[in-house]
Amino acid sequence: IIGIIIGSIIGIISATRVAMTSMPEMVAIFNGFGGGASALVAIAEFLRNSNPIDTLNAFIIILAVIIGSITFTGSFVAFGKLKGMISGQPITYPAQNLINGLILVGLLIIGYFAIVNSTDYIYFYIIIGIGLILGILTVIPIGGADMPVVISLLNSYSGIAAAAAGFA
């Protein structure tokens, strides 16, 4: 009930103070916080278990952390691009797709070790860090004009992360 009251107050203040032209930025921020909240719920669930977690639950928790982390940082990059704090031009670097692919493969490998060794938190902490970095790396090369589409995509990710965190 306290969370609903606090969220309602924040929503009312935001709704009355934010101009309609700034709505995409506000949606990006709220979306980022939703992804972050999903990741935090999954992190708390993982850390509260002192015994090994069964494979399915560990997989779902790790999936929620990855997607929530990507949504969190990706949404803040989208906000920055929309607000003009980050260049609206695509920001790329050599071998970007190869590097992102290797990061993703590394994430899958580390995810496997986190599932198999669910009481060894080092793999889990690495997953959180990589998820946060991947959120930045997946949104930064997209131009500012496409940010509303990116925000919509990240919003769907946030929903998946929330569902997975709730399931775990």
Side-chain angles (χ1 to χ4, degrees):
I1 292 175
I2 293 171
I4 292 171
I5 292 169
I6 292 170
S8 296
I9 292 169
I10 292 170
I12 290 168
I13 291 170
S14 298
T16 57
R17 291 191 179 172
V18 174
M20 286 305 288
T21 55
S22 297
M23 198 57 65
E25 292 97 320
M26 187 177 80
V27 170
I29 289 293
F30 284 170
N31 184 48
F33 284 131
S38 299
L40 288 174
V41 167
I43 290 167
E45 181 62 23
F46 190 86
L47 296 178
R48 99 177 163 84
N49 289 300
S50 57
N51 298 325
I53 303 171
D54 65 272
T55 303
L56 179 61
N57 278 333
F59 173 76
I60 292 169
I61 289 169
I62 289 170
L63 184 65
V65 168
I66 292 168
I67 295 171
S69 298
I70 289 170
T71 302
F72 179 72
T73 53
S75 293
F76 278 92
V77 170
F79 168 82
K81 283 188 172 247
L82 287 169
K83 199 74 168 163
M85 301 162 89
I86 301 172
S87 171
Q89 296 298 317
I91 299 172
T92 59
Y93 50 89
Q96 182 173 4
N97 290 335
L98 176 64
I99 292 169
N100 286 350
L102 291 173
I103 289 171
L104 185 60
V105 169
L107 186 61
L108 294 174
I109 292 168
I110 294 167
Y112 169 78
F113 286 115
I115 291 169
V116 173
N117 304 307
S118 63
T119 56
D120 187 359
Y121 296 153
I122 188 68
Y123 299 113
F124 189 68
Y125 294 137
I126 292 170
I127 287 171
I128 295 168
I130 292 174
L132 292 170
I133 291 168
L134 208 50
I136 295 167
L137 294 178
T138 55
V139 176
I140 205 83
I142 301 171
D146 293 325
M147 284 304 112
V149 175
V150 170
I151 292 167
S152 295
L153 178 66
L154 291 171
N155 188 35
S156 67
Y157 288 178
S158 183
I160 293 167
F167 180 78

mmCIF file of all heavy atoms in Angstrom, residues 142-166:
data_model
loop_
_atom_site.group_PDB
_atom_site.id
_atom_site.type_symbol
_atom_site.label_atom_id
_atom_site.label_comp_id
_atom_site.label_asym_id
_atom_site.label_seq_id
_atom_site.Cartn_x
_atom_site.Cartn_y
_atom_site.Cartn_z
ATOM 1 N N ILE A 142 22.069 3.206 -32.013
ATOM 2 C CA ILE A 142 20.802 3.520 -32.680
ATOM 3 C C ILE A 142 20.600 5.032 -32.651
ATOM 4 O O ILE A 142 20.823 5.676 -31.627
ATOM 5 C CB ILE A 142 19.634 2.785 -31.994
ATOM 6 C CG1 ILE A 142 19.880 1.275 -32.041
ATOM 7 C CG2 ILE A 142 18.307 3.139 -32.655
ATOM 8 C CD1 ILE A 142 18.931 0.455 -31.217
ATOM 9 N N GLY A 143 20.156 5.592 -33.766
ATOM 10 C CA GLY A 143 19.964 7.030 -33.879
ATOM 11 C C GLY A 143 18.816 7.538 -33.022
ATOM 12 O O GLY A 143 17.878 6.797 -32.705
ATOM 13 N N GLY A 144 18.893 8.804 -32.649
ATOM 14 C CA GLY A 144 17.905 9.411 -31.766
ATOM 15 C C GLY A 144 16.484 9.383 -32.303
ATOM 16 O O GLY A 144 15.525 9.278 -31.546
ATOM 17 N N ALA A 145 16.310 9.467 -33.617
ATOM 18 C CA ALA A 145 14.969 9.455 -34.205
ATOM 19 C C ALA A 145 14.262 8.116 -33.975
ATOM 20 O O ALA A 145 13.034 8.058 -33.965
ATOM 21 C CB ALA A 145 15.047 9.756 -35.690
ATOM 22 N N ASP A 146 15.028 7.063 -33.768
ATOM 23 C CA ASP A 146 14.444 5.744 -33.549
ATOM 24 C C ASP A 146 14.228 5.422 -32.067
ATOM 25 O O ASP A 146 13.794 4.318 -31.731
ATOM 26 C CB ASP A 146 15.339 4.665 -34.166
ATOM 27 C CG ASP A 146 15.369 4.747 -35.681
ATOM 28 O OD1 ASP A 146 14.320 5.093 -36.268
ATOM 29 O OD2 ASP A 146 16.425 4.477 -36.268
ATOM 30 N N MET A 147 14.526 6.366 -31.183
ATOM 31 C CA MET A 147 14.415 6.101 -29.747
ATOM 32 C C MET A 147 13.003 5.736 -29.288
ATOM 33 O O MET A 147 12.856 4.861 -28.439
ATOM 34 C CB MET A 147 14.953 7.266 -28.912
ATOM 35 C CG MET A 147 16.468 7.343 -28.868
ATOM 36 S SD MET A 147 17.253 5.841 -28.268
ATOM 37 C CE MET A 147 18.065 5.274 -29.757
ATOM 38 N N PRO A 148 11.928 6.352 -29.827
ATOM 39 C CA PRO A 148 10.594 5.897 -29.394
ATOM 40 C C PRO A 148 10.355 4.405 -29.682
ATOM 41 O O PRO A 148 9.743 3.703 -28.875
ATOM 42 C CB PRO A 148 9.636 6.787 -30.194
ATOM 43 C CG PRO A 148 10.424 8.044 -30.405
ATOM 44 C CD PRO A 148 11.841 7.570 -30.629
ATOM 45 N N VAL A 149 10.870 3.924 -30.794
ATOM 46 C CA VAL A 149 10.740 2.500 -31.121
ATOM 47 C C VAL A 149 11.577 1.673 -30.145
ATOM 48 O O VAL A 149 11.142 0.630 -29.649
ATOM 49 C CB VAL A 149 11.163 2.227 -32.581
ATOM 50 C CG1 VAL A 149 11.152 0.740 -32.886
ATOM 51 C CG2 VAL A 149 10.276 2.991 -33.539
ATOM 52 N N VAL A 150 12.790 2.153 -29.854
ATOM 53 C CA VAL A 150 13.664 1.463 -28.907
ATOM 54 C C VAL A 150 13.001 1.394 -27.539
ATOM 55 O O VAL A 150 13.021 0.355 -26.873
ATOM 56 C CB VAL A 150 15.041 2.167 -28.830
ATOM 57 C CG1 VAL A 150 15.878 1.614 -27.688
ATOM 58 C CG2 VAL A 150 15.774 2.021 -30.138
ATOM 59 N N ILE A 151 12.391 2.504 -27.118
ATOM 60 C CA ILE A 151 11.720 2.535 -25.817
ATOM 61 C C ILE A 151 10.579 1.522 -25.786
ATOM 62 O O ILE A 151 10.385 0.820 -24.788
ATOM 63 C CB ILE A 151 11.229 3.959 -25.492
ATOM 64 C CG1 ILE A 151 12.432 4.884 -25.266
ATOM 65 C CG2 ILE A 151 10.321 3.966 -24.272
ATOM 66 C CD1 ILE A 151 12.086 6.347 -25.248
ATOM 67 N N SER A 152 9.835 1.428 -26.870
ATOM 68 C CA SER A 152 8.750 0.433 -26.937
ATOM 69 C C SER A 152 9.300 -0.981 -26.824
ATOM 70 O O SER A 152 8.737 -1.825 -26.122
ATOM 71 C CB SER A 152 7.977 0.577 -28.250
ATOM 72 O OG SER A 152 7.326 1.805 -28.291
ATOM 73 N N LEU A 153 10.394 -1.241 -27.507
ATOM 74 C CA LEU A 153 11.018 -2.562 -27.440
ATOM 75 C C LEU A 153 11.499 -2.847 -26.017
ATOM 76 O O LEU A 153 11.252 -3.922 -25.465
ATOM 77 C CB LEU A 153 12.170 -2.660 -28.428
ATOM 78 C CG LEU A 153 12.941 -3.980 -28.424
ATOM 79 C CD1 LEU A 153 12.046 -5.111 -28.903
ATOM 80 C CD2 LEU A 153 14.176 -3.877 -29.288
ATOM 81 N N LEU A 154 12.183 -1.877 -25.421
ATOM 82 C CA LEU A 154 12.676 -2.062 -24.054
ATOM 83 C C LEU A 154 11.524 -2.206 -23.069
ATOM 84 O O LEU A 154 11.647 -2.906 -22.061
ATOM 85 C CB LEU A 154 13.586 -0.894 -23.654
ATOM 86 C CG LEU A 154 14.919 -0.836 -24.390
ATOM 87 C CD1 LEU A 154 15.645 0.467 -24.075
ATOM 88 C CD2 LEU A 154 15.796 -2.023 -24.049
ATOM 89 N N ASN A 155 10.403 -1.563 -23.361
ATOM 90 C CA ASN A 155 9.229 -1.708 -22.505
ATOM 91 C C ASN A 155 8.723 -3.150 -22.525
ATOM 92 O O ASN A 155 8.351 -3.707 -21.491
ATOM 93 C CB ASN A 155 8.126 -0.746 -22.949
ATOM 94 C CG ASN A 155 6.973 -0.712 -21.987
ATOM 95 O OD1 ASN A 155 7.159 -0.833 -20.779
ATOM 96 N ND2 ASN A 155 5.778 -0.547 -22.513
ATOM 97 N N SER A 156 8.759 -3.765 -23.692
ATOM 98 C CA SER A 156 8.348 -5.172 -23.765
ATOM 99 C C SER A 156 9.347 -6.051 -23.017
ATOM 100 O O SER A 156 8.972 -7.018 -22.357
ATOM 101 C CB SER A 156 8.193 -5.628 -25.215
ATOM 102 O OG SER A 156 9.434 -5.660 -25.876
ATOM 103 N N TYR A 157 10.637 -5.708 -23.106
ATOM 104 C CA TYR A 157 11.647 -6.436 -22.333
ATOM 105 C C TYR A 157 11.358 -6.320 -20.842
ATOM 106 O O TYR A 157 11.484 -7.290 -20.096
ATOM 107 C CB TYR A 157 13.051 -5.876 -22.587
ATOM 108 C CG TYR A 157 13.663 -6.166 -23.923
ATOM 109 C CD1 TYR A 157 14.911 -5.649 -24.231
ATOM 110 C CD2 TYR A 157 13.022 -6.941 -24.886
ATOM 111 C CE1 TYR A 157 15.512 -5.895 -25.449
ATOM 112 C CE2 TYR A 157 13.615 -7.182 -26.106
ATOM 113 C CZ TYR A 157 14.851 -6.670 -26.385
ATOM 114 O OH TYR A 157 15.446 -6.909 -27.586
ATOM 115 N N SER A 158 10.987 -5.109 -20.425
ATOM 116 C CA SER A 158 10.700 -4.867 -19.007
ATOM 117 C C SER A 158 9.555 -5.758 -18.538
ATOM 118 O O SER A 158 9.590 -6.304 -17.434
ATOM 119 C CB SER A 158 10.371 -3.400 -18.788
ATOM 120 O OG SER A 158 10.166 -3.129 -17.437
ATOM 121 N N GLY A 159 8.553 -5.908 -19.380
ATOM 122 C CA GLY A 159 7.425 -6.782 -19.035
ATOM 123 C C GLY A 159 7.851 -8.233 -18.902
ATOM 124 O O GLY A 159 7.417 -8.936 -17.987
ATOM 125 N N ILE A 160 8.716 -8.677 -19.782
ATOM 126 C CA ILE A 160 9.230 -10.045 -19.715
ATOM 127 C C ILE A 160 10.046 -10.234 -18.441
ATOM 128 O O ILE A 160 9.906 -11.234 -17.730
ATOM 129 C CB ILE A 160 10.080 -10.386 -20.960
ATOM 130 C CG1 ILE A 160 9.197 -10.415 -22.216
ATOM 131 C CG2 ILE A 160 10.807 -11.707 -20.780
ATOM 132 C CD1 ILE A 160 9.978 -10.435 -23.508
ATOM 133 N N ALA A 161 10.891 -9.251 -18.136
ATOM 134 C CA ALA A 161 11.721 -9.345 -16.923
ATOM 135 C C ALA A 161 10.842 -9.352 -15.680
ATOM 136 O O ALA A 161 11.104 -10.118 -14.745
ATOM 137 C CB ALA A 161 12.703 -8.171 -16.864
ATOM 138 N N ALA A 162 9.791 -8.538 -15.660
ATOM 139 C CA ALA A 162 8.897 -8.499 -14.507
ATOM 140 C C ALA A 162 8.165 -9.834 -14.341
ATOM 141 O O ALA A 162 8.024 -10.340 -13.218
ATOM 142 C CB ALA A 162 7.891 -7.364 -14.648
ATOM 143 N N ALA A 163 7.720 -10.396 -15.450
ATOM 144 C CA ALA A 163 7.033 -11.684 -15.383
ATOM 145 C C ALA A 163 7.975 -12.773 -14.890
ATOM 146 O O ALA A 163 7.610 -13.597 -14.042
ATOM 147 C CB ALA A 163 6.468 -12.060 -16.758
ATOM 148 N N ALA A 164 9.198 -12.763 -15.396
ATOM 149 C CA ALA A 164 10.184 -13.772 -14.967
ATOM 150 C C ALA A 164 10.536 -13.591 -13.499
ATOM 151 O O ALA A 164 10.621 -14.569 -12.739
ATOM 152 C CB ALA A 164 11.444 -13.686 -15.826
ATOM 153 N N ALA A 165 10.720 -12.343 -13.061
ATOM 154 C CA ALA A 165 11.045 -12.088 -11.654
ATOM 155 C C ALA A 165 9.896 -12.513 -10.758
ATOM 156 O O ALA A 165 10.113 -13.087 -9.689
ATOM 157 C CB ALA A 165 11.371 -10.615 -11.437
ATOM 158 N N GLY A 166 8.669 -12.267 -11.206
ATOM 159 C CA GLY A 166 7.513 -12.681 -10.431
ATOM 160 C C GLY A 166 7.361 -14.182 -10.372
ATOM 161 O O GLY A 166 6.940 -14.751 -9.358
#
